[in-house]
Amino acid sequence: MFKNVFGSGFLVRTAHVVLTWIITLILFLYDTELRKQEETGQLLQPVLFVLLVLVSVLLYFAVSLMDPGFILTEDSDLQFTLGVTEEQQDMIPPSTKSLRQRRCGHCLLQQPMRSKHCQTCQHCVRRYDHHCPWIENCVGERNHRWFVLYLALQLLVLLWGLHVAWTGLGHAPSWSRWLRSNGVLLAVCGLLAPLALVVLLLLGSHLYLVSMNATTWEFMSRHRISYLKHCGADQNPFDRGAARNLWGFFCQWGSVVWEQAYFREDSDPV
C-alpha cells in the first residue's frame, strides 16, 4: 500500500520536512505571538499550532507514499473484483472501438476508463489526476481525497504561520536596523506568502474539478481523450451535480467502474 520511504523522492520529502520544522522553530524563537503566549503559560494556541504542523507532515507522508491506484495486474474480470454483479454488467452497452479498454503501450496492461500511464512512476494509475513533483507521487483514485485534505490543512498552517511571523516584526529607529532585526522573520514571510498563494490556487482548482467530477488530466487534455473528445466543451459524462460529486469524492470509498457511470441511464452514450 505504501512505497519505500527511502525510494524516489526521498530528497524532496526530506527538504519539505526539514524546512517545515525550521520555520516552526523560528516562529517560537523570535518574539512572536506564539512565543509570548508560551512564556505567559497560555499554551492552547502554541500546542494547537504544533499539532497542526505535525498532522500536516504526517498527511504529507501518507499522500506521498500511498499507492495512488496503480494497475499492477491484468483486470480481465474487473466487474467481479469490484463487486459488480452480472445484472449490473449487462447494463453496460457493448463498447465501441473508440471506447474499448485499450492496452497500455508501456506496461502492456489493459487500462480501465479514466486511467493513464505515468511516465515518471512507470505505472498506469486509476482515475489519474496528475503527477505531483511536490509529493513525488501520482495523484489518483486512492490518494486524491487525501491530497485535497492535505492542501486544506497545509493552507491553514501556512496562513497561521504567516500571521505569527507578522506579529513578531518589531520597531527600530532606522530602516537598516529594522531590516537587520527583522530579516529572518521577513524571509519567513517572503517564503510563506507565495507558498500560501500556490496552495490556495491548487486547493481551489481541485475543489472546482471535484465538484464537476473531473480530473486535471481530463480538464487539460480532453481533446485527446477518446471518451471525452466527442463530448461538448461543457459536457462531462461523469457529472452528477456538485453535491453528489463532492459526496462521492469525500464520503464514498472503493473503486468505481467508470464504464458503468459513463453509460448511466440518465445520459446518452457518446
Side-chain angles (χ1 to χ4, degrees):
M1 181 179 179
F2 290 94
K3 301 191 299 183
N4 186 353
V5 68
F6 297 105
S8 175
F10 173 73
L11 293 179
V12 174
R13 299 184 189 102
T14 301
H16 175 88
V17 174
V18 170
L19 183 61
T20 297
W21 289 113
I22 286 178
I23 292 177
T24 302
L25 183 62
I26 290 174
L27 294 179
F28 279 92
L29 289 178
Y30 281 77
D31 194 26
T32 62
E33 181 182 71
L34 289 181
R35 180 174 179 178
K36 294 175 181 177
Q37 292 177 348
E38 181 187 9
E39 291 175 345
T40 58
Q42 303 175 25
L43 300 179
L44 179 59
Q45 290 193 33
V47 171
L48 181 58
F49 181 79
V50 173
L51 285 178
L52 286 178
V53 173
L54 178 60
V55 173
S56 72
V57 170
L58 294 177
L59 197 54
Y60 170 81
F61 271 103
V63 172
S64 63
L65 299 176
M66 185 182 295
D67 176 358
F70 292 138
I71 303 173
L72 303 177
T73 58
E74 191 73 69
D75 286 334
S76 58
D77 295 326
L78 181 64
Q79 66 270 26
F80 299 104
T81 60
L82 298 183
V84 181
T85 64
E86 292 184 10
E87 181 180 354
Q88 291 174 318
Q89 181 66 17
D90 291 339
M91 296 173 60
I92 305 176
S95 57
T96 63
K97 182 177 180 180
S98 62
L99 295 177
R100 187 180 298 119
Q101 280 190 2
R102 61 189 181 92
R103 193 169 293 276
C104 177
H106 300 277
C107 57
L108 303 180
L109 296 175
Q110 284 190 335
Q111 292 180 324
M113 187 175 284
R114 308 192 82 182
S115 63
K116 182 183 180 296
H117 185 88
C118 176
Q119 297 285 358
T120 304
C121 295
Q122 291 299 309
H123 287 297
C124 288
V125 181
R126 294 186 184 279
R127 198 183 177 276
Y128 176 85
D129 188 87
H130 73 288
H131 182 89
C132 180
W134 185 1
I135 63 175
E136 271 300 314
N137 194 12
C138 281
V139 176
E141 181 181 73
R142 292 188 178 180
N143 67 346
H144 195 175
R145 63 168 57 87
W146 297 112
F147 180 73
V148 173
L149 291 174
Y150 164 70
L151 290 179
L153 182 60
Q154 187 66 57
L155 179 61
L156 176 61
V157 171
L158 288 171
L159 292 177
W160 195 352
L162 183 61
H163 167 74
V164 171
W166 186 263
T167 63
L169 298 177
H171 300 280
S174 64
W175 275 105
S176 58
R177 293 186 60 181
W178 185 84
L179 288 175
R180 284 197 299 268
S181 61
N182 297 293
V184 175
L185 288 179
L186 283 175
V188 170
C189 290
L191 180 62
L192 295 184
L195 285 177
L197 179 61
V198 170
V199 173
L200 176 63
L201 293 176
L202 279 174
L203 178 61
S205 64
H206 276 275
L207 289 176
Y208 171 72
L209 292 175
V210 166
S211 69
M212 299 189 303
N213 201 350
T215 65
T216 302
W217 173 56
E218 291 172 342
F219 182 78
M220 301 295 294
S221 306
R222 64 178 296 131
H223 61 286
R224 296 191 290 111
I225 300 175
S226 60
Y227 56 86
L228 291 179
K229 64 182 180 181
H230 301 299
C231 300
D234 299 326
Q235 185 180 6
N236 178 12
F238 307 109
D239 188 5
R240 300 178 298 169
R244 293 182 64 186
N245 291 336
L246 291 170
W247 174 265
F249 181 82
F250 287 106
C251 303
Q252 293 181 354
W253 300 83
S255 298
V256 177
V257 182
W258 291 110
E259 290 82 355
Q260 188 174 5
Y262 186 84
F263 290 108
R264 68 189 186 274
E265 291 183 356
D266 57 347
S267 67
D268 297 327
V270 179

